Amino acid sequence: MKVLVAPDKFKGSLTAAEVASAVASGLADVHPGIEVRTLPVADGGDGTVDAAVAAGFRRVRVPARGPTGALVMASYAVRGDTAVVELAEASGLHRLPGGLEPLTASSAGTGDVIAAAVGAGCRRIVLGVGGSACTDGGAGMLTALGARLLDGSGHDLPPGGFALSRLASLDLSGLSLSDVDIELASDVDNPLFGPNGAAFVYGPQKGASPDDVETLDAALRQWASIAGPEFASRPGAGAAGGVGFAAMAVLGARMRPGITLLLDLLGFDDALAGAALVVTGEGSLDRQTLSGKAPAGVARAAAAKGIPCVAVSGRCQLSTGELAEAGIAAAYALTDLEPDPARCMAEAAPLLRRLTHRLAVDHLRS
């Protein structure tokens, strides 16, 4: 009997690889000798590079600018001429050194990482967009790749979304990525601006006040009017504070659901061959899970092959019916064993191993 363990991370406590390891150990406790294949997954957000490395890609560390311009060491993953770039590596909220910077945070570091990968010979870039600290419409990323954003006097704009309100022209003469294929991995379908756009929906999470949100939304409208108005309403244009827009409008990127793209890239179908059961999971199984998050994508892919799927999590806020709708036959949460969330976070690995004993008894024959 073979089991494929393909979870996302438990954010704040376990990486996807650590989740997979704990589940594999729990399965082996109950069924010694069982064949377990682990394949940590991600949906384009933080942990995407780690998932690629676990699947056999090589990690490459490069210097890049963080959201405020301070130098950080970021990673991308490479195999052949394909690079997996995770926006959160350089431009994520966790890279802010001293607090949120909603008006001035920049995506330039993501451009730095892409430039490094292209300079190393990569011709396919899979860009995971999630967890960003910025609402700059992807302008910073483009400037790092050679574009210039100019005001009415011909001066370069400073970093951040606020400055885009003064944009007068966009100079792409220094940008040369014509032979590079870029794919966006995202589960976000928001447009660039408007009530459902990047500023209104995600700006408050990045520290934007109501006035800041209005300012950023107007700035993104100005940015779109010059960089490609026809792309502003496309699903995903608002991903990562508008990085999705810049990638599609200027870099010619194609967008795919993050988990679908990542499962293809990680070789999920090959790993699935011969499996009798799939175990997936993430820190919180909730309504967001149903909107294209990793467990739902894994369950859907397993169902397409007629293989049942169950899930593990820190907590589960979905009903049995909602789980079934997502293709998940059953869910097991750490809170079933330990009601204290703090202890669940602190002791996630041993609790998850114990929790998997229940799963194994319920779903695997001796």
Side-chain angles (χ1 to χ4, degrees), residues 262-327:
L262 266 297
L263 289 182
D264 287 348
L265 193 69
L266 301 178
F268 181 81
D269 280 352
D270 289 342
L272 189 61
L277 179 70
V278 174
V279 182
T280 188
E282 63 179 344
S284 178
L285 291 171
D286 51 35
R287 296 294 302 176
Q288 290 190 27
T289 303
L290 305 179
S291 301
K293 291 292 186 180
V298 169
R300 184 170 57 249
K305 302 291 185 179
I307 301 171
C309 179
V310 297
V312 293
S313 64
R315 64 178 184 176
C316 180
Q317 298 180 321
L318 296 176
S319 68
T320 302
E322 288 171 326
L323 290 167
E325 182 183 342

Side-chain angles (χ1 to χ4, degrees), residues 137 188-199 217-239 241-250 255:
V188 169
D189 59 5
N190 304 77
L192 179 62
F193 55 73
N196 296 315
D217 190 67
L220 291 174
R221 289 174 185 271
Q222 175 64 12
W223 171 227
S225 71
I226 291 175
E230 67 274 24
F231 291 90
S233 60
R234 288 196 179 183
V243 166
F245 165 78
M248 291 188 286
V250 179
M255 188 160 184

Side-chain angles (χ1 to χ4, degrees), residues 35-54:
E35 181 185 355
V36 179
R37 170 76 184 271
T38 60
L39 187 74
V41 301
D43 55 18
D46 51 323
T48 295
V49 166
D50 288 343
V53 170

Side-chain angles (χ1 to χ4, degrees), residues 43-357:
D43 55 18
D46 51 323
T48 295
V49 166
D50 288 343
V53 170
F57 283 65
R58 176 172 57 89
R59 187 186 302 274
V60 179
R61 302 183 190 276
V62 296
R65 283 165 286 182
T68 62
L71 195 66
V72 301
M73 288 302 297
S75 298
Y76 68 90
V78 63
R79 184 171 63 192
D81 68 351
T82 296
V84 177
V85 176
E86 176 186 320
L87 177 139
E89 270 285 308
S91 308
L93 286 164
H94 69 287
R95 291 297 195 182
L96 287 166
L100 301 173
E101 299 286 350
L103 299 179
T104 58
S106 169
S107 58
T110 297
D112 293 335
V113 178
I114 293 173
V118 172
C122 296
R123 290 297 174 265
R124 180 191 180 198
I125 305 294
V126 175
L127 176 58
V129 287
S132 78
C134 50
T135 310
D136 72 343
M141 175 183 70
L142 296 182
T143 59
L145 294 170
R148 295 183 67 194
L149 281 72
L150 307 173
D151 63 18
S153 300
H155 299 134
D156 291 290
L157 293 181
F162 176 71
L164 293 174
S165 60
R166 306 200 311 273
L167 180 67
S169 62
L170 176 62
D171 180 0
L172 300 177
S173 61
L175 190 85
S176 180
L177 290 177
S178 59
D179 60 342
V180 177
D181 182 39
I182 298 179
E183 295 175 274
L184 284 171
S186 175
D187 60 359
V188 169
D189 59 5
N190 304 77
L192 179 62
F193 55 73
N196 296 315
F200 276 94
V201 176
Y202 301 107
Q205 301 171 13
K206 304 172 187 182
S209 68
D211 286 345
D212 292 339
V213 167
E214 296 281 358
T215 297
L216 289 167
D217 190 67
L220 291 174
R221 289 174 185 271
Q222 175 64 12
W223 171 227
S225 71
I226 291 175
E230 67 274 24
F231 291 90
S233 60
R234 288 196 179 183
V243 166
F245 165 78
M248 291 188 286
V250 179
L251 303 182
R254 293 173 289 112
M255 188 160 184
R256 292 178 62 191
I259 186 58
T260 302
L261 176 52
L262 266 297
L263 289 182
D264 287 348
L265 193 69
L266 301 178
F268 181 81
D269 280 352
D270 289 342
L272 189 61
L277 179 70
V278 174
V279 182
T280 188
E282 63 179 344
S284 178
L285 291 171
D286 51 35
R287 296 294 302 176
Q288 290 190 27
T289 303
L290 305 179
S291 301
K293 291 292 186 180
V298 169
R300 184 170 57 249
K305 302 291 185 179
I307 301 171
C309 179
V310 297
V312 293
S313 64
R315 64 178 184 176
C316 180
Q317 298 180 321
L318 296 176
S319 68
T320 302
E322 288 171 326
L323 290 167
E325 182 183 342
I328 298 172
Y332 298 80
L334 298 186
T335 52
D336 296 340
L337 297 179
E338 173 53 65
D340 182 1
R343 286 195 63 188
C344 284
M345 295 280 285
E347 302 173 24
L351 285 171
L352 182 56
R353 184 169 179 168
R354 282 176 50 203
L355 185 69
T356 304
H357 296 170

